[in-house]
Amino acid sequence: MEQFFSESAYSAVAVSLVSYGLGNWLKRRFKLGLFNPLLISIVCTILFLVVAGIDYETYKSGSSLLTWLLTPATVSLAIPLYEEYELLKANAKAVIIGIICGVITSLGTVLLLSKLMGLTHQQYVTLLPKSITTAIGMGVSEELGGYVTITVAVIVITGVIGNIIGEWICKVFRIHEPIAKGLAFGTATHAIGTAKAMEIGEIEGAMSSLSIAVAGIFTVALASVFANFM
């Protein structure tokens, strides 16, 4: 099986897509946040690789096409932002301040918990980019000397959790303003959270899309500063 995966250009992609399709079906069938398509696809893919005895490097090599599509998929999130440009312009100050506060809160939380849990510097910087999109977070982690593979896993987990419980948290804290909800999703849970924001509404999706890019820029700038705190 491992040899087949090594020689086939699309086998790993097929496994990923089938797993995601299963997750989509479960989400529509049971309508539960726990059945997040991305979470289901991750679990199913891991189980398949373990049962089939295929190592991660072989799978990673075969799924390079999906990795290549990650960047253009992230860039395409600018489309809903363009459609809500006038709204963005009217609330520019609040949007920028909100994103900056979100980034500082994310980095500060990682710093505090890392100190409380006695993590090493390398483990600490691995977690710093947890709330930005994978395409940017991998570069930040590598530059700071973190474990890039673990960074990717943490980013995905952060996004999935935000996708599942983000709307519930907004309800608990009575956050009803579409702009505020969109900024929260994008700043805290990057592209995966943005997918949920787009389900909630057009304004939420547009603001969340903006947050991904701006939060990524601020995180790149501030992560190197926070890296010196531990």
Side-chain angles (χ1 to χ4, degrees):
M1 180 64 76
E2 185 167 355
Q3 183 179 357
F4 173 75
F5 255 67
S6 300
E7 296 175 353
S8 173
Y10 302 107
S11 53
V13 174
V15 169
S16 301
L17 294 179
V18 169
S19 299
Y20 187 82
L22 174 62
N24 246 336
W25 179 82
L26 289 172
K27 179 67 179 296
R28 292 196 304 269
R29 177 70 175 80
F30 297 101
K31 302 185 185 302
L32 293 174
L34 182 62
F35 291 115
N36 180 275
L38 184 59
L39 177 61
I40 297 298
S41 66
I42 292 172
V43 173
C44 289
T45 301
I46 291 175
L47 289 175
F48 177 83
L49 296 180
V50 171
V51 172
I54 301 169
D55 63 65
Y56 172 72
E57 291 302 323
T58 301
Y59 168 77
K60 180 181 177 182
S61 176
S63 61
S64 57
L65 178 62
L66 292 178
T67 305
W68 181 84
L69 289 172
L70 180 63
T71 300
T74 303
V75 173
S76 69
L77 292 172
I79 295 174
L81 174 61
Y82 172 77
E83 294 174 345
E84 300 291 344
Y85 177 72
E86 291 302 322
L87 182 64
L88 167 63
K89 190 164 63 172
N91 298 275
K93 186 181 296 185
V95 167
I96 296 300
I97 293 175
I99 295 175
I100 292 175
C101 290
V103 170
I104 293 176
T105 299
S106 174
L107 297 175
T109 301
V110 172
L111 173 62
L112 177 62
L113 292 177
S114 296
K115 284 184 176 294
L116 290 175
M117 296 180 180
L119 300 185
T120 65
H121 174 77
Q122 190 172 21
Q123 292 169 337
Y124 163 59
V125 297
T126 297
L127 301 177
L128 277 179
K130 69 175 180 62
S131 291
I132 58 177
T133 185
T134 308
I136 303 175
M138 291 173 64
V140 172
S141 178
E142 185 175 8
E143 181 180 344
L144 296 178
Y147 302 102
V148 178
T149 303
I150 297 178
T151 297
V152 172
V154 170
I155 289 174
V156 171
I157 291 171
T158 300
V160 170
I161 292 175
N163 186 291
I164 293 173
I165 69 173
E167 188 175 10
W168 175 77
I169 289 178
C170 288
K171 289 179 180 178
V172 169
F173 290 95
R174 299 181 181 179
I175 302 173
H176 304 298
E177 169 58 46
I179 295 178
K181 289 164 71 174
L183 295 177
F185 271 101
T187 303
T189 58
H190 51 84
I192 301 176
T194 298
K196 183 64 178 180
M198 288 180 171
E199 292 179 15
I200 298 173
E202 291 184 7
I203 296 176
E204 289 87 340
M207 293 301 106
S208 188
S209 300
L210 168 69
S211 300
I212 294 175
V214 179
I217 293 171
F218 282 128
T219 300
V220 170
L222 293 175
S224 58
V225 176
F226 272 79
N228 296 320
F229 294 161
M230 182 173 171

